[in-house]
């Protein structure tokens, strides 16, 4: 069963928030859009694992998605981890179109799409690194030595996987996602000796969840964009433009006439993703171009946020979880 579900990567949400908070002709816009494209492809690749993984018997496996662990001061992130009592399988999902050539001699991956070649770092090297790091993590946590297996799973059905003829065992390491249940069956046939009890497997799953950390990515600092460059106001959830107007207790879009009562919630999410986890009434008035202190106070109160301090010094804690817009 899935014990840690997948969520949209926070860095992808940050880039998406930034895209509608800077002018279209901003010099960093192409980089932001490229990172969104990459982030979405990565996320799509991870989601494509759900279907083949749904064939596995629920009771035999604990499945964890998006796990980021730390060992010896280094972080490593694994798309999916499968825990069984016989082995641990680490999965790296790749959603890449066209032709993928695994150049094992120079440790690079060459993708060809529409006659254009692009080189990427070698997923096979990363796979080895993940196995080593995971093993170190087990040792650090005083857990029993485990057979650690890993796979690079190409989750785009039409992608062609190639390598040089001397590299005959590539299919042991790289597979299409449709083949995943059969590959797991192969592992089950080879590895029959348990290294954990069922109880220990559950405990290991909980330990992984506990030690998982979300990356802290100060996006404005990383891209050298200052807060003053951000576009202010509540953006329209219908057409994406800024700013909406506050009238009669509702937000109205002057461009598409969309009316929304809760549009400020999404814009406060932008604040949390781009600027920080807390906001004062004054900061909200400025960021959302909110007409008055009393309106902001009312909106914040209705969101039932945790707060600290009193009066003008009161700071409200913005939730980090994904806000589902109604
Ligand atoms: Zn609109």
């Amino acid at each position: 069963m899935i014990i840690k579900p997948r969520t949209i990567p926070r860095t992808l949400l940050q880039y998406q928030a930034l895209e509608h908070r800077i002018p279209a002709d901003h010099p960093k816009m192409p980089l932001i859009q490229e990172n969104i494209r990459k982030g979405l492809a990565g996320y799509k690749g991870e989601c494509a694992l759900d279907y083949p993984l749904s064939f596995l018997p629920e009771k035999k496996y604990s499945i964890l998605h998006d796990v980021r662990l730390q060992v010896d001061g280094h972080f490593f992130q694994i798309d999916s981890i499968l825990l069984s009592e016989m082995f641990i399988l680490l999965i790296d999902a790749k959603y890449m179109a066209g032709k993928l050539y695994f150049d094992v001699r120079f440790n690079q991956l060459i993708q060809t799409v529409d006659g254009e070649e692009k080189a990427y770092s070698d997923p096979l090297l990363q796979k080895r690194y993940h196995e080593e790091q995971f093993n170190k993590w087990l040792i650090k946590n005083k857990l029993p030595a485990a057979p650690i297996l890993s796979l690079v799973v190409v989750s785009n059905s039409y992608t062609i996987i190639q390598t040089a003829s001397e590299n005959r065992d590539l299919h042991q390491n790289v597979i299409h996602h449709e083949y995943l249940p059969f590959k797991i069956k192969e592992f089950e046939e080879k590895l029959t000796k348990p290294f954990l009890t069922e109880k220990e497997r559950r405990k290991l799953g909980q330990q992984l969840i506990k030690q998982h950390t979300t990356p802290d990515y100060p996006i404005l600092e990383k891209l050298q964009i200052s807060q003053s460059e951000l576009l202010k106001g509540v953006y329209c959830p219908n057409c994406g433009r800024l700013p909406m107007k506050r009238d009669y207790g509702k937000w109205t879009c002057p461009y598409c006439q969309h009316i929304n009562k809760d549009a400020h919630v999404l814009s406060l999410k932008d604040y949390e993703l781009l600027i920080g986890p807390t906001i004062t009434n004054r900061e909200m008035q400025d960021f959302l171009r909110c007409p008055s202190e009393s309106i902001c106070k009312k909106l914040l109160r209705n969101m039932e946020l945790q707060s600290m301090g009193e009066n003008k010094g009161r700071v409200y804690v913005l939730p980090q979880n994904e806000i589902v817009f109604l």
Side-chain angles (χ1 to χ4, degrees):
M1 65 179 286
I2 298 171
I3 58 165
K4 182 182 180 296
R6 181 180 300 113
T7 53
I8 301 172
R10 185 170 163 82
T11 43
L12 173 58
L13 294 173
Q14 287 179 299
Y15 277 109
Q16 286 177 328
L18 193 52
E19 189 190 23
H20 60 236
R21 288 282 167 192
I22 57 166
D25 60 353
H26 192 284
K28 295 279 163 65
M29 188 56 101
L31 174 71
I32 291 163
Q33 287 175 336
E34 174 63 9
N35 281 323
I36 292 174
R37 192 195 59 75
K38 278 191 203 158
L40 283 173
Y43 185 61
K44 211 171 161 184
E46 289 171 36
C47 291
L49 294 179
D50 290 349
Y51 183 66
L53 289 177
S54 70
F55 289 96
L56 297 179
E58 286 241 327
K59 280 192 177 157
K60 258 167 111 177
Y61 291 95
S62 303
I63 302 174
L64 297 94
H65 294 301
D66 275 333
V67 182
R68 184 171 175 265
L69 301 167
Q70 190 186 22
V71 77
D72 297 343
H74 294 106
F75 286 99
F76 62 106
Q77 185 155 358
I78 297 161
D79 292 341
S80 297
I81 302 178
L82 262 69
L83 303 177
S84 85
E85 282 133 44
M86 322 297 170
F87 58 87
I88 295 172
L89 174 62
L90 313 177
I91 298 176
D92 177 21
K94 290 266 170 267
Y95 191 82
M96 295 170 97
K99 205 186 280 175
L100 298 180
Y101 181 83
F102 287 82
D103 178 357
V104 287
R105 193 179 291 177
F106 296 107
N107 292 115
Q108 55 183 348
L109 170 64
I110 300 159
Q111 180 193 29
T112 313
V113 183
D114 301 328
E116 213 177 295
E117 281 192 346
K118 251 188 193 175
Y120 292 88
S121 56
D122 185 6
L124 298 172
L125 215 57
Q126 195 193 36
K127 176 178 139 30
R128 251 172 59 192
Y129 172 76
H130 280 165
E131 284 177 14
E132 277 170 23
Q133 293 299 98
F134 198 87
N135 198 29
K136 277 188 196 168
W137 183 87
L138 288 176
I139 295 168
K140 193 186 99 183
N141 287 282
K142 300 186 174 55
L143 290 156
I148 302 171
L149 307 165
S150 65
L151 283 173
V152 175
V153 179
V154 176
S155 46
N156 187 331
S157 308
Y158 304 107
T159 305
I160 299 164
I161 304 170
Q162 287 186 328
T163 190
S165 57
E166 71 264 23
N167 184 29
R168 287 201 192 95
D169 62 349
L170 185 79
H171 66 281
Q172 301 289 354
N173 300 308
V174 184
I175 60 164
H176 268 296
H177 68 301
E178 292 96 338
Y179 192 64
L180 188 56
F182 305 102
K183 192 75 193 170
I184 292 172
K185 193 117 194 109
E186 279 177 30
F187 293 146
E188 284 174 353
E189 280 160 14
K190 270 188 216 155
L191 299 154
T192 52
K193 217 174 116 197
F195 75 99
L196 286 177
T197 62
E198 193 190 332
K199 199 176 157 196
E200 285 169 330
R201 168 166 65 94
R202 286 176 203 277
K203 217 173 129 193
L204 170 59
Q206 290 312 313
Q207 214 159 344
L208 284 165
I209 292 173
K210 217 168 117 193
Q211 292 204 25
H212 160 79
T213 54
T214 307
D216 178 27
Y217 187 73
I219 188 166
L220 295 185
E221 198 183 298
K222 293 265 182 194
L223 296 187
Q224 292 178 311
I225 294 175
S226 77
Q227 263 189 52
S228 60
E229 290 174 81
L230 299 181
L231 302 173
K232 307 277 175 72
V234 168
Y235 78 87
C236 169
N238 189 47
C239 72
R241 277 181 276 191
L242 289 153
M244 292 183 99
K245 273 189 177 162
R246 181 92 190 158
D247 277 323
Y248 307 109
K250 289 184 176 107
W251 298 101
T252 308
C253 175
Y255 307 100
C256 74
Q257 317 310 322
H258 177 71
I259 295 173
N260 197 300
K261 214 161 66 63
D262 302 314
H264 58 280
V265 178
L266 277 184
S267 286
L268 283 175
K269 183 73 197 158
D270 283 356
Y271 189 94
E272 188 275 317
L273 288 164
L274 302 175
I275 298 169
T278 60
I279 195 165
T280 63
N281 188 308
R282 182 158 288 277
E283 284 164 343
M284 178 167 166
Q285 285 177 60
D286 174 55
F287 189 72
L288 298 191
R289 293 268 186 265
C290 201
S292 76
E293 189 185 332
S294 60
I295 290 176
C296 279
K297 199 172 170 181
K298 199 175 137 205
L299 295 176
L300 286 164
R301 203 173 30 206
N302 288 346
M303 284 176 73
E304 295 177 0
L305 302 172
Q306 267 191 326
S307 66
M308 293 171 288
E310 290 298 323
N311 303 322
K312 290 205 187 304
R314 188 187 289 262
V315 292
Y316 297 84
V317 181
L318 299 167
Q320 249 214 18
N321 56 333
E322 287 166 44
I323 292 175
V324 179
F325 197 74
L326 304 171

